[in-house]
Amino acid sequence: MKDKIGIFGGSFDPMHSGHTKLAHYLLSKLELSSLIIMPAAVSPFKSETYSSDEDRLNICRLSLPEEQFVISDFEISRGGVSYSYDTVSFFKELYPEDEILFVIGEDQLLIFNKWRRWKEILQKVTLVAVKRNNCTPISELEDFADKNIRPFGKVIILPFEPFEVSSTQIRERQKNGESIEGLVSPQAQKYIAEKGLYLGIDEQLLLKDVRKRLSDYRYHHSVCVAESAKELAKRFGADEYKAYIAGIAHDILKEQPEEEAKSLFDKAGVSLSELEKRSKKLWHAIAGEAYLREKYSLPEDILSAVRYHTTGKGNMTLLQKILFVADFISADREYDGVRDMRERAKESLETAMEEGLRFTIEELSAKCLPIHPDTLSAYNQILLRKEKEI
């Protein structure tokens, strides 16, 4: 008895819950012995991918770990534009005695007779068109297939209730710092977070820029803060990659000339308060946010962490707290009390922040320097929260 083998291709950038739901449906509905998942190298209908081939393959494997799903790198390994005729020819030669079912969307069914060597494809496979929306009535799809496609081969049209999500939506949510929970598998979500995918960050370019702008001492500090922030993120359940990038970037304009900072403020439309105009040690954080926003379009949560890593603020996010504390406890720090700070950070970000804020306030007070309202707000909020807990 010959097997029925399905081929389900796409960019899968990334594979999402809609893809996995459809994959399980195809396996069951078509009574397949296996379903080959085929990430395309370069689709004829799409000009770019947003993650590496390796990442797309790994996400597919994590999303569909069952043995009935075969994640194939055939098209990726061949490189170049992926044409379906080449793919079905390869698998028909590989499984000459079995029935090959080739899965496409309803939109592609309506233009299938314009595909490259489409009649020859139909000689090798059964075409499966999945109806996933209400745009075209199934009667019209059947009529189109009868008139244009079925005279040359076998076509199955399957109605399917889709999971309303797209890869574009996931990429946008990831870049904007929004949750993608439930839109991809838990394993894929963890992988995307750990690899920092779809954030729109050119990490190597950023590292080179930081290295170019900072002295050896300051660059070393930035790397140490990044490692510390990553460790804290792991401990307290934040995004480790974002914490690392925030650490690398936080002091990118620490050693900039004052005139460059002023020019950047003007260009970005940044209005400094009277206190901030006098407190030039705060400029690098404010200018750093503006610079990173313009040049790298970093996600908002990373930008805000850079912005408030020196002063702190009221109602700080987890990432903001992590960068603030990491700057105090990084491995290169040698001030009196740093060991105690590191121990506090192991137990509680709030406790470590309280100590760091107190240190800042006392140091500024001793020098008769003004204290930024954001610093006072952060410190007062922690104290008031402690009083409620007592």
Side-chain angles (χ1 to χ4, degrees), residues 11 20 36 58 67 73 75 82 115 149 160 183 207 260 263-264 285 293 300 312 351 353-354 359 377 381:
S11 297
T20 57
I36 297 169
N58 286 338
E67 63 180 7
D73 66 353
E75 290 189 353
S82 299
W115 281 28
I149 312 298
F160 174 69
L183 303 181
L207 281 168
E260 182 180 345
S263 175
L264 186 57
R293 182 186 300 278
E300 287 296 326
T351 303
M353 278 196 62
E354 179 185 351
F359 177 88
S377 177
Q381 192 173 76

Side-chain angles (χ1 to χ4, degrees), residues 190 194 227-241 243-244 318 322:
K190 182 180 179 182
E194 289 176 349
E227 293 296 336
S228 180
K230 184 178 179 180
E231 183 180 337
L232 289 172
K234 184 176 182 179
R235 183 178 302 146
F236 294 105
D239 189 311
E240 295 177 41
Y241 184 79
Y244 177 81
L318 180 57
I322 283 171

Side-chain angles (χ1 to χ4, degrees), residues 178-362:
E178 302 173 37
S179 174
I180 59 172
E181 184 176 1
L183 303 181
V184 297
S185 73
Q187 297 83 358
Q189 182 180 358
K190 182 180 179 182
Y191 182 90
I192 289 169
E194 289 176 349
K195 298 280 286 186
L197 301 181
Y198 310 117
L199 296 178
I201 299 173
D202 189 330
E203 183 179 339
Q204 293 306 311
L205 183 62
L206 176 60
L207 281 168
K208 288 180 181 178
D209 196 7
V210 173
R211 186 68 190 91
K212 179 182 70 175
R213 287 178 166 275
L214 299 179
S215 63
D216 291 345
Y217 165 79
R218 186 57 57 182
Y219 178 73
H220 175 64
H221 169 70
S222 296
V223 172
C224 289
V225 171
E227 293 296 336
S228 180
K230 184 178 179 180
E231 183 180 337
L232 289 172
K234 184 176 182 179
R235 183 178 302 146
F236 294 105
D239 189 311
E240 295 177 41
Y241 184 79
K242 286 186 176 181
Y244 177 81
I245 292 296
I248 285 292
H250 81 289
D251 272 353
I252 189 169
L253 296 187
K254 182 74 173 183
E255 297 172 330
Q256 66 180 342
E258 288 184 11
E259 291 307 313
E260 182 180 345
K262 291 178 181 177
S263 175
L264 186 57
F265 293 148
D266 290 340
K267 185 177 180 181
V270 174
S271 179
L272 300 181
S273 68
E274 288 303 315
L275 185 152
E276 288 167 343
K277 290 177 183 178
R278 291 182 55 195
S279 305
K280 295 180 181 179
K281 287 187 176 181
L282 304 180
W283 286 13
H284 74 284
I286 304 170
E289 179 201 18
Y291 177 79
L292 293 166
R293 182 186 300 278
E294 178 186 13
K295 183 161 185 177
Y296 296 99
S297 299
L298 296 184
E300 287 296 326
D301 47 356
I302 294 179
L303 292 170
S304 66
V306 171
R307 170 64 178 83
Y308 296 106
H309 80 269
T310 301
T311 61
K313 66 184 288 289
N315 300 314
M316 292 179 77
T317 66
L318 180 57
L319 185 59
Q320 289 169 352
K321 293 176 182 178
I322 283 171
L323 184 58
F324 183 89
V325 173
D327 198 17
F328 270 94
I329 67 169
S330 57
D332 61 306
R333 294 295 198 189
E334 297 179 348
Y335 61 87
D336 290 341
V338 68
R339 290 185 180 180
D340 289 339
M341 276 286 287
R342 288 173 183 148
E343 290 302 312
R344 289 186 175 90
K346 290 179 182 179
E347 301 170 5
S348 166
L349 282 174
E350 294 279 314
T351 303
M353 278 196 62
E354 179 185 351
E355 186 64 21
L357 289 164
R358 183 184 296 115
F359 177 88
T360 300
I361 291 169
E362 290 177 352

